Amino acid sequence: GEDVEQSLFLSVREGDSSVINCTYTDSSSTYLYWYKQEPGAGLQLLTYIFSNMDMKQDQRLTVLLNKKDKHLSLRIADTQTGDSAIYFCAESLSGTYKYIFGTGTRLKVLA
Amino acid sequence: NAGVTQTPKFQVLKTGQSMTLQCAQDMNHEYMSWYRQDPGMGLRLIHYSVGAGITDQGEVPNGYNVSRSTTEDFPLRLLSAAPSQTSVYFCASRTVEDYGYTFGSGTRLTVV
């Protein structure tokens, strides 16, 4: 079945780059997404990438997609304490209305 | 433009009670979904709707009902609450073009 996997925790120092990784199983995914969840809040869409793209950059965020390995990554440049949150990777399954979410990666930024 | 509004934010129920979680969006989005979030399990789809009058089951629909009488509203009903339904519930909506879901702020439900 469909599955999206992420590592549970990542800790970085303020000012460093963060890289959050995700692997997925459905090769027919149309879009892949990154969401951010702060404590007590809902999920906020950060960025998305269409499945025929390799890279997308949006200010401090860079998304890389390796379709051969079914691997998605989110790089946050110059990580700030305000970036501390849980980051979810999600895939939109082609031909359905469903998203499959990963379990989330908790990013902790150390001052 | 409020986005996706969920009420209540917190609720405690006794086993066997019923209740309705409210969800409303003002963005004229066609698609709406209910997810539950449990520790270590990510988000799991309960029910979804692709338009007024059309609903379907997600991966964990048992114990829940939905209806979509208008584009704006998509309430989730718990028929007879069980402790296993203790969770955080999120409502989300998006357009047909699929540029990502907009989420509400969630309802934290505890069943005792």
Side-chain angles (χ1 to χ4, degrees):
Chain A
E2 308 93 6
D3 196 16
V4 176
E5 295 188 354
Q6 301 179 238
S7 54
L8 291 180
F9 299 102
L10 177 65
S11 179
V12 300
R13 295 209 171 273
E14 191 174 19
D16 288 350
S17 292
S18 308
V19 179
I20 303 171
N21 295 302
C22 168
T23 57
Y24 60 96
T25 55
D26 187 349
S27 58
S28 65
S29 295
T30 308
Y31 287 97
L32 295 125
Y33 306 86
W34 284 104
Y35 284 86
K36 175 184 181 183
Q37 185 181 31
E38 299 186 38
L43 278 71
Q44 172 195 355
L45 179 65
L46 286 178
T47 187
Y48 63 91
I49 187 167
F50 191 50
S51 58
N52 68 352
M53 298 171 63
D54 297 324
M55 185 181 85
K56 181 178 181 181
Q57 189 152 0
D58 185 358
Q59 299 182 332
R60 292 191 298 123
L61 305 179
T62 302
V63 178
L64 295 178
L65 176 60
N66 181 327
K67 290 181 285 294
K68 174 177 171 290
D69 295 336
K70 298 190 183 70
H71 183 265
L72 183 74
S73 67
L74 174 70
R75 178 178 180 269
I76 305 172
D78 187 25
T79 311
Q80 303 298 307
T81 54
D83 294 324
S84 291
I86 302 175
Y87 290 80
F88 290 91
C89 163
E91 59 173 339
S92 173
L93 302 184
S94 177
T96 79
Y97 310 107
K98 298 180 182 179
Y99 285 20
I100 303 296
F101 285 85
T103 52
T105 298
R106 186 180 295 273
L107 174 65
K108 183 174 182 179
V109 182
L110 305 171
Chain B
N1 192 338
V4 179
T5 303
Q6 290 184 241
T7 56
K9 291 192 183 304
F10 302 95
Q11 183 70 49
V12 179
L13 286 180
K14 293 183 178 178
T15 298
Q17 286 185 315
S18 62
M19 80 160 294
T20 299
L21 307 186
Q22 302 291 344
C23 175
Q25 54 95 4
D26 61 358
M27 298 171 286
N28 204 31
H29 285 173
E30 296 88 352
Y31 294 178
M32 296 185 75
S33 295
W34 276 101
Y35 289 88
R36 59 178 288 175
Q37 183 179 28
D38 301 294
M41 302 189 73
L43 277 80
R44 293 182 292 170
L45 180 64
I46 305 171
H47 285 285
Y48 65 95
S49 170
V50 299
I54 306 169
T55 64
D56 206 347
Q57 297 180 349
E59 57 183 311
V60 289
N62 292 340
Y64 308 95
N65 272 355
V66 292
S67 60
R68 185 106 178 263
S69 56
T70 67
T71 300
E72 295 77 20
D73 299 300
F74 191 42
L76 177 73
R77 281 182 287 278
L78 279 71
L79 308 173
S80 177
S84 61
Q85 294 179 303
T86 293
S87 187
V88 181
Y89 291 85
F90 289 103
C91 179
S93 70
R94 69 172 176 89
T95 63
V96 172
E97 289 78 16
D98 192 13
Y99 298 134
Y101 271 104
T102 298
F103 280 80
S105 56
T107 295
R108 186 173 294 275
L109 176 68
T110 302
V111 183
V112 298

